[in-house]
Amino acid sequence: MSGPHTTTMHRPANRPDVIKAVHGARWFTAAAVAVGAVNYGYALLLTRLLDVGSYARFVAGQWLLLSAATVATVTVPWVLAQALARARSNAERGDAGRFAVITSTCGGLVMGSVVAAVSTRFAGSATTLALALSTLLIYVTTVTAGWLQGEERMRTLSLLHVAEVLVKMAAGVFLVVALGLSDSGALAAFGIGALPLLLWWPSLPHGSGRPWRSASANRDLWRRAFGIARLQGLVALMAAVDVVLVTMLPTDPSEAASYQASVTLSRVPLFVAGAVSMAFFPALSRRRAGSQLSASAVRMYVLASLPLTASLATVPGALLGTVFPAEYSMMSALMAFTALTGFAVGAINLAVTFSQAVDDYACARWQIVGLAGYTLALVAGWHLDGVRGIAVGGALGAAAALALLLGRLVHRQGTAFLRRTPLLEPLLLTAVLVVLRPFPLVWLIAATAVGVRAVERFLRRPGAPDPAEDQTEVTAGHSSADPSAGLSESTTDRPGTAMAYTKADHPKAIAPHAEEQPGSLLVDAVWRGNARPAEDAALRHALSLARDNQVEGRLARAYPRQLADVVAEVDTANESFRENLVEVTGRLRAAGIPTVLIKADLAGDYVYGNFDLVVPDGRWEAACDALEGWYVERSTYWLERSTKVLLEPRSGPAAHLHTAVSWFGVPVLSTRRLFERAEPDGGAWLVPRPSDELRIWLAHGLFQNLSLDLSELFALRGLLAPDVVAEARREAAREGWLAGGDRALAVAVGAMRRLDEGTPVRLPVPLPVGASLRVGAEHALHLLRHGRTRVAVREAALRVPLVVAKRRRMLLS
């Protein structure tokens, strides 16, 4: 097979950061909407499941719990995310992770005790215990949130937040209805809901000396923690002060309810700003102040929030009267002002994020001034015109506070973050909605169109060029079979992007911090072909990692003198492997049974424990009979007893006979089509067509291992010719797992690029858990549509427990 085509790529240096942040903001926004909807449904459902007294205790406990959790959610994840984004070595990453564990655990114990002490004033011992434990769990799991945010795994984090609230709701209903635990069960569900985040608990890099003491004494991390807590706490306080004042001041109950309902609707821009801030914060922490990345964040916020603010500010009173009871009639006079307040507070949140990304914690003084002015405007408004005055004063005070922070930001970071902000179209649409307000039906049609347009721009042109317009420029070159070739660019998160394959510009260059990374010796010697001098102890450590990645032979041949015993071991194993393979396939061919050898690279140079052969449909038992006398033991694994048999010989690697390319009894590739397309390989066996081989390696990672080791990356690297990839994608679409295959290939390509560059890569390379879950659902639906109900049900039933088991094993390894 000829080598892959060489390509060159041209991409702005900051584009991957923008795309990652944009995609993350989309996921966070969608998650915020889902979480808000489920929380609202949970509270509404409990009004029917609990008596009045129990519900009152639940509301009080929920308020106490969320107030306590606010401290953790605005401190630990942000500090950890920033530290990971800036970390230059595994030691710094480890320190940041251990600092987060220490602060979250200690904070959880302290705040849990405080919550317990306060809750004794209105609840019994069971409810008090539930609140204390839930507080501790919420605090501890913020480590996972911060780690995923710092790793920029925004989709995983978003899905976990949705899973958290779904588990909370399910657990709460079960504890209340099935076990009769009343308000204590409903509150305990908050802690149970946090448990899924423990499955993604980070594996911290090992440190030297006394790493836990070093992390706890890290003054820089403590400075950031206090600084970020101060900034984010002031934002949270500003978002809540008007609601608290309306509750405390002597106002008419219907007017207070109208204001609170208006604020609930008008705070949506704040959620959008929070999503954009969380997604962009890690990248902003690595970049200079006032960069184009900041402009992309502003653009994304304005695209989503300004049309929404315009719709809320101009909504006709007749429509509000249709949706809300008569007691909320004052909403039509308040919405215009609360909508402006919500937009301004969201913009303040984004401006504060820009400051904290560059460690500019001095902006807290300006926040305090703005908060003081905002509060004074609220109180003055109430004295002048009651609740309506509070709404007007809030809008004016929030606008003044925003102007104050923006002025300071422009002074310190310049105006680059405000460039290309899309204001003209939103302002024109606002004018149209104002004109149409007297005509509720026409206004509703126009507002719907505005909303659809905003969503379309948010999803397709969010603060950066449309990903569809951001295609990589690929220039075909000469073929190359150079084994040291690498990939020039990852495909980021866009499935279906053309794979670009090129020889690394400096295959032996080492990143400045590469030598600090565990496994760098292995990567340099095996992947990059640079066998630098190594001590025996370091080499044996690398050998252990090489065995885990099935490249011990490659490492041993790079150090033939120091690892002479391993060279001899691998040579013996290779000879035994070929002998058994030749004998088994020879016997089967003599019996008229062709075979296809899968998941094996005869030049892989490692110790095989077995080899996998696919036999044609209906020839499985005949193949076993033909091998009578060669094997001494026959066994099956209970989950694969109908598709795979293990034949153990007296010596050497075992033969695994498959009825299909399948995992856990679920076929992925068609056996008939595999044989039709298979090619001879100089022996009694056939090998898959290159596009089939590519899919088999990817499916093995996706459906079984949830990872790709170094030997698999070597195998994949030789299959990334554009025509092979294109054909593999067509076949994957036919088989019903295209999206999952694209995602796995994107991860593999990104890992190869990082290996070429000398940047740290975890080996084996983990595949996203979400990708495995998604490919399982995608493939099961495909099987169901094609009438294979039994196999589809099997895949759907096994996918989640298998993924959880694999994930747990990976975390413990």
Side-chain angles (χ1 to χ4, degrees), residues 144-145 148 154-166 193 196-200:
T144 299
L148 291 175
M154 306 305 180
R155 177 167 59 181
T156 301
L157 181 54
S158 302
L159 293 175
L160 277 176
H161 282 317
V162 175
E164 178 183 5
V165 74
L166 289 174
L197 277 80
L198 293 178
L199 294 175
W200 274 260

Side-chain angles (χ1 to χ4, degrees), residues 434-519:
V434 171
V435 171
L436 295 178
R437 192 182 185 197
F439 313 99
L441 184 58
V442 180
W443 180 94
L444 184 61
I445 295 172
T448 302
V450 169
V452 170
R453 170 64 173 163
V455 170
E456 186 269 335
R457 296 191 74 188
F458 184 78
L459 294 179
R460 298 202 177 193
R461 302 185 61 84
D466 192 327
E469 299 175 1
D470 190 38
Q471 294 298 328
T472 301
E473 181 183 340
V474 181
T475 307
H478 300 289
S479 64
S480 168
D482 183 354
S484 69
L487 292 173
S488 66
E489 181 60 74
S490 75
T491 59
T492 66
D493 291 326
R494 292 177 285 128
T497 305
M499 298 298 144
Y501 193 95
T502 182
K503 186 172 181 178
D505 294 333
H506 304 286
K508 294 186 179 181
I510 302 175
H513 56 278
E515 294 187 1
E516 300 175 15
Q517 310 300 329

Side-chain angles (χ1 to χ4, degrees), residues 18-248:
V18 172
I19 291 176
K20 284 182 181 180
V22 165
H23 285 217
R26 291 172 178 169
W27 278 99
F28 277 139
T29 302
V33 173
V35 167
V38 175
N39 275 330
Y40 180 77
Y42 183 52
L44 192 63
L45 184 60
L46 289 178
T47 61
R48 299 180 178 274
L49 299 179
L50 300 175
D51 57 58
V52 175
S54 297
Y55 187 76
R57 287 191 295 274
F58 165 76
V59 172
Q62 177 182 242
W63 178 86
L64 183 60
L65 191 63
L66 296 179
S67 298
T70 298
V71 179
T73 55
V74 302
T75 307
V76 177
W78 290 85
V79 174
L80 180 53
Q82 186 178 63
L84 292 176
R86 294 178 177 177
R88 293 167 295 180
S89 67
N90 266 0
E92 291 185 5
R93 292 165 59 82
D95 279 349
R98 281 181 279 274
F99 177 83
V101 172
I102 292 169
T103 52
S104 63
T105 304
C106 294
L109 291 171
V110 172
M111 291 306 298
S113 301
V114 172
V115 166
V118 175
S119 62
T120 56
R121 304 291 298 272
F122 62 84
S125 57
T127 302
T128 298
L129 180 62
L131 284 169
L133 291 178
S134 293
T135 302
L136 176 61
L137 281 171
I138 290 171
Y139 265 72
V140 169
T141 52
T142 56
V143 176
T144 299
W147 191 273
L148 291 175
Q149 185 185 359
E151 292 285 311
E152 295 180 88
R153 297 174 59 185
M154 306 305 180
R155 177 167 59 181
T156 301
L157 181 54
S158 302
L159 293 175
L160 277 176
H161 282 317
V162 175
E164 178 183 5
V165 74
L166 289 174
V167 170
K168 177 188 75 176
M169 183 175 184
V173 172
F174 175 78
L175 293 175
V176 171
V177 175
L179 302 184
L181 295 182
S182 190
D183 55 282
S184 59
L187 291 169
F190 283 86
I192 296 172
L195 293 178
L197 277 80
L198 293 178
L199 294 175
W200 274 260
W201 184 266
S203 178
L204 301 179
H206 296 293
S208 59
R210 309 179 75 173
W212 288 96
R213 174 173 292 185
S214 174
S216 62
N218 192 314
R219 293 185 178 181
D220 182 57
L221 290 175
W222 280 111
R223 180 181 63 84
R224 291 189 209 170
F226 287 122
I228 289 176
R230 186 165 65 250
L231 300 188
Q232 291 294 322
L234 287 170
V235 171
L237 185 59
M238 190 166 194
V241 66
D242 58 337
V243 177
V244 173
L245 277 176
V246 166
T247 304
M248 295 174 58

Side-chain angles (χ1 to χ4, degrees), residues 494-720:
R494 292 177 285 128
T497 305
M499 298 298 144
Y501 193 95
T502 182
K503 186 172 181 178
D505 294 333
H506 304 286
K508 294 186 179 181
I510 302 175
H513 56 278
E515 294 187 1
E516 300 175 15
Q517 310 300 329
S520 64
L521 183 65
L522 172 67
V523 171
D524 287 343
V526 172
W527 185 268
R528 302 166 63 83
N530 179 25
R532 50 191 169 89
E535 299 291 337
D536 287 346
L539 202 52
R540 289 292 167 178
H541 177 76
L543 178 62
S544 175
L545 185 59
R547 293 190 188 279
D548 291 340
N549 284 271
Q550 302 186 101
V551 291
E552 60 266 39
R554 294 177 185 266
L555 180 65
R557 297 193 195 286
Y559 296 91
R561 184 182 62 81
Q562 292 170 276
L563 297 178
D565 58 326
V566 181
V567 173
E569 176 194 4
V570 172
D571 285 342
T572 302
N574 283 344
E575 182 179 353
S576 178
F577 170 82
R578 185 168 285 274
E579 287 177 356
N580 284 11
L581 176 64
V582 168
E583 183 172 358
V584 168
T585 55
R587 285 186 177 222
L588 293 176
R589 187 160 78 172
I593 303 174
T595 56
V596 177
L597 177 67
I598 62 171
K599 296 190 301 177
D601 179 5
L602 296 184
D605 224 9
Y606 60 89
V607 179
Y608 281 90
N610 55 71
F611 53 91
D612 296 90
L613 295 168
V614 180
V615 298
D617 292 331
R619 307 300 303 276
W620 192 33
E621 286 299 334
C624 292
D625 294 340
L627 294 176
E628 285 282 356
W630 177 80
Y631 65 88
V632 296
E633 182 180 349
R634 171 177 172 170
S635 61
T636 58
Y637 177 51
W638 68 279
L639 280 177
E640 300 175 306
R641 57 184 179 274
S642 62
T643 59
K644 176 181 176 181
V645 63
L646 287 65
L647 305 178
E648 291 281 350
R650 290 179 177 84
S651 64
H656 291 182
L657 299 187
H658 300 259
T659 61
V661 179
S662 63
W663 284 275
F664 306 110
V666 180
V668 179
L669 276 71
S670 163
T671 302
R672 178 186 59 80
R673 192 164 176 79
L674 176 69
F675 274 91
E676 288 175 353
R677 294 155 52 87
E679 304 167 346
D681 192 42
W685 60 89
L686 302 172
V687 294
R689 184 181 177 95
S691 59
D692 293 345
E693 185 180 358
L694 176 61
R695 298 197 322 285
I696 289 170
W697 286 117
L698 294 176
H700 185 237
L702 271 171
F703 288 91
Q704 178 156 327
N705 282 353
L706 267 68
S707 64
L708 296 169
D709 64 35
L710 203 54
S711 72
E712 291 168 322
L713 293 180
F714 272 113
L716 288 170
R717 186 170 69 169
L719 296 167
L720 294 184

Side-chain angles (χ1 to χ4, degrees), residues 379-459:
V379 174
W382 177 75
H383 281 291
L384 292 174
D385 197 15
V387 171
R388 190 194 310 271
I390 291 178
V392 176
L396 295 175
L402 175 60
L404 196 66
L405 285 175
L406 283 181
R408 182 179 185 276
L409 201 60
V410 168
H411 176 72
R412 295 181 66 87
Q413 300 187 11
T415 59
F417 71 96
L418 295 174
R419 292 173 187 168
R420 297 176 58 214
T421 302
L423 293 175
L424 181 60
E425 180 181 327
L427 291 175
L428 290 175
L429 292 175
T430 302
V432 170
L433 292 176
V434 171
V435 171
L436 295 178
R437 192 182 185 197
F439 313 99
L441 184 58
V442 180
W443 180 94
L444 184 61
I445 295 172
T448 302
V450 169
V452 170
R453 170 64 173 163
V455 170
E456 186 269 335
R457 296 191 74 188
F458 184 78
L459 294 179

Side-chain angles (χ1 to χ4, degrees), residues 266 306-320 331-332 334-340 426-427 429-440 443-444 446-447 450:
S266 302
L306 205 52
L308 176 62
T309 300
S311 299
L312 291 172
T314 60
V315 62
L319 287 179
L320 289 172
M331 285 182 65
S332 60
L334 301 176
M335 286 291 291
F337 304 106
T338 57
L340 292 175
L427 291 175
L429 292 175
T430 302
V432 170
L433 292 176
V434 171
V435 171
L436 295 178
R437 192 182 185 197
F439 313 99
W443 180 94
L444 184 61
V450 169

